[in-house]
Amino acid sequence: MPVTAARADLPAMRARPQGPFGIYVHVPFCATRCGYCDFNTYTAGELGGANPDGWLAAVRTELRLAAGRLGVTPDVKTVFVGGGTPSLLGAAGLTAVLDAIRDNFTLAPGAEVTTESNPESTSPHFFAGLRTAGFTRISLGMQSTAPHVLAALDRVHSPGRALDAAREARAEGFDHVNLDLIYGTPGETDDDLVRSADAAVETGVDHISGYALIVEDGTALARRVRRGEMPAPDDDVHARRYELLDRRLTDAGFDWYEVSNWSRPGGQCRHNVGYWNGGQWWGAGPGAHSYVGATRWWNVKHPNAYADALGEGELPVADFEELDAETAHVEDVMLQVRLRTGLPHRVLSDSESQRAVRLVADGLLHARDDRLVLTDRGRLLADAVVRELLT
């Protein structure tokens, strides 16, 4: 099991020389809070004086301390700016974030540099500024084109704005653009999802993500479900919608490469593939998680506490864990089995291999050369496959 300890005991770490190394930057700001979201985000009234300028200064300090703590690191192959709503920083703010990374780390030639963006805070001028800065990939929250679905999710953009934003990003030279969809929202129909998927495809993007709506504790959505104002999402509906989305995207020339992600050739998100393949990354920003060597840690959540720690010259670590071999193995199985490339058979123990044989016989896994790959039915039951393999 992992070992946890206080911030003062964070061990010395050095990045493993093999595999990808990335940087994640968490932007905690949002104009409004979506009803389903449980991410570490804050609206203006919740910030207690924190602001983007102070946050950026703190991020610069963390990146400088990170470079010093790590010493010699591999070149950074991927950068991902997420949140929250990074596009609220504007092109100038996001350029400053990327400059802060370049000031402290070396970007590998051809590095993938992604930012998430909300459609309502983007424009052609915004995308042009990001291209000039060196961003290579845009990920947009679309969720649906159905007005009643967006309303149920508390999304504030108009049904067509995400589609327009995707077209604007492509017109400004972004070859890699993602649209996020959410399926299974109460009140959504099969036709709603079909129209949303078809509209996303028609923009010409090369990547589409599709996530089943999950009711997270503590969210406005959870409170509405608990009060009986909205029905809970239905697992059978989720399964049917997933199959519908997969069929629609496959027919349009997209291939799944992870259970919830489809892309055209060359459109995979390399940063996320690094996570799923056990890569290393430094996560900067309030609440961000990092994983270097065998150590995983996470920052304090509130932007004020984050800035205060850095103001004292300390890394803003809330806690950490050292992954032992057993824990690392469990995580490798959980993540790699979700990929189309599959799980290498050699990583399984003898007992796990025997269970894998049963899963192949049950039609949940394919045995392909030296790897185990989820079948179409297996993708619907990916969590159960993992439990069976590891039990």
Side-chain angles (χ1 to χ4, degrees):
M1 295 297 293
V3 177
T4 62
R7 179 173 71 201
D9 298 323
L10 185 66
M13 81 272 297
R14 192 164 296 275
R16 302 187 304 273
Q18 74 279 10
F21 184 86
I23 291 179
Y24 172 79
V25 178
H26 185 73
V27 180
F29 309 111
C30 279
T32 61
R33 184 179 300 281
C34 297
Y36 61 91
C37 179
D38 72 336
F39 294 162
N40 186 43
T41 62
Y42 303 84
T43 60
E46 299 169 331
L47 285 169
N51 60 72
D53 289 340
W55 167 85
L56 179 58
V59 166
R60 286 195 182 103
T61 300
E62 183 180 2
L63 290 170
R64 176 175 56 79
L65 293 175
R69 188 64 179 259
L70 291 172
V72 177
T73 61
D75 289 352
V76 175
K77 293 182 171 60
T78 64
V79 172
F80 197 105
V81 184
T85 310
S87 46
L88 287 178
L89 300 177
L94 287 168
T95 297
V97 170
L98 189 52
D99 286 344
I101 293 170
R102 289 192 178 110
D103 287 345
N104 293 285
F105 293 87
T106 300
L107 292 186
E112 175 191 86
V113 184
T114 302
T115 184
E116 293 181 337
S117 300
N118 273 10
E120 67 274 17
S121 52
T122 63
S123 66
H125 179 73
F126 169 81
F127 292 124
L130 294 185
R131 281 292 293 162
T132 299
F135 283 83
T136 67
R137 187 173 181 276
I138 301 294
S139 184
L140 292 158
M142 172 181 167
Q143 321 316 348
S144 177
T145 58
H148 59 281
V149 173
L150 293 176
L153 296 171
D154 294 326
R155 297 290 293 185
V156 297
H157 62 81
S158 64
R161 177 57 205 150
L163 306 173
D164 290 341
R167 294 187 185 97
E168 291 166 2
R170 286 181 46 74
E172 294 299 332
F174 282 95
D175 294 326
H176 303 302
V177 180
N178 170 64
L179 285 169
D180 281 344
L181 296 175
I182 289 179
Y183 58 88
T185 302
E188 178 195 61
T189 67
D190 288 355
D191 286 344
D192 290 332
L193 180 59
V194 167
R195 283 192 289 269
S196 297
D198 289 351
V201 167
E202 288 168 5
T203 64
V205 299
D206 68 341
H207 192 288
I208 294 175
S209 300
Y211 302 107
L213 179 65
I214 297 175
V215 179
E216 301 285 1
D217 290 341
T219 62
L221 177 62
R223 291 190 289 273
R224 290 201 294 269
V225 170
R226 188 170 60 249
R227 292 193 296 260
E229 299 169 5
M230 181 180 289
D234 183 275
D235 289 343
D236 290 337
V237 171
H238 277 166
R240 186 174 74 249
R241 297 270 162 77
Y242 181 88
E243 291 176 322
L244 185 59
L245 179 60
D246 181 56
R247 210 160 43 239
R248 213 71 183 183
L249 295 180
T250 300
D251 290 346
F254 288 74
D255 287 323
W256 76 278
Y257 70 95
E258 191 273 341
V259 168
S260 298
N261 291 274
W262 293 258
S263 74
R264 298 187 190 276
Q268 296 182 0
C269 177
R270 287 156 45 196
H271 186 85
N272 287 343
V273 170
Y275 291 154
W276 296 316
N277 276 322
Q280 304 170 98
W281 71 95
W282 190 288
H289 286 230
S290 303
Y291 179 41
V292 177
T295 306
R296 179 165 54 209
W297 68 96
W298 45 98
N299 287 346
V300 294
K301 285 189 169 185
H302 198 279
N304 286 335
Y306 170 78
D308 288 347
L310 287 160
E312 296 173 2
E314 296 182 358
L315 287 172
V317 177
D319 209 344
F320 78 94
E321 57 187 8
E322 292 275 85
L323 272 64
D324 57 24
E326 179 185 354
T327 304
H329 170 73
V330 168
E331 295 198 355
D332 283 345
V333 172
M334 289 174 59
L335 295 173
Q336 291 185 46
V337 80
R338 295 179 61 86
L339 294 168
R340 188 176 190 129
T341 51
L343 178 68
H345 205 285
R346 59 179 166 73
V347 307
L348 298 179
S349 68
D350 289 344
S351 59
E352 290 166 348
S353 294
Q354 292 171 7
R355 291 193 286 273
V357 170
R358 292 200 298 271
L359 289 165
V360 170
D362 290 340
L364 298 175
L365 287 173
H366 292 299
R368 292 180 176 167
D369 298 325
D370 61 344
R371 290 179 176 264
L372 296 163
V373 180
L374 291 169
T375 63
D376 290 346
R377 180 166 165 262
R379 279 190 280 160
L380 296 173
L381 300 168
D383 291 343
V385 170
V386 169
R387 287 195 298 271
E388 176 63 21
L389 281 171
L390 294 173
T391 300

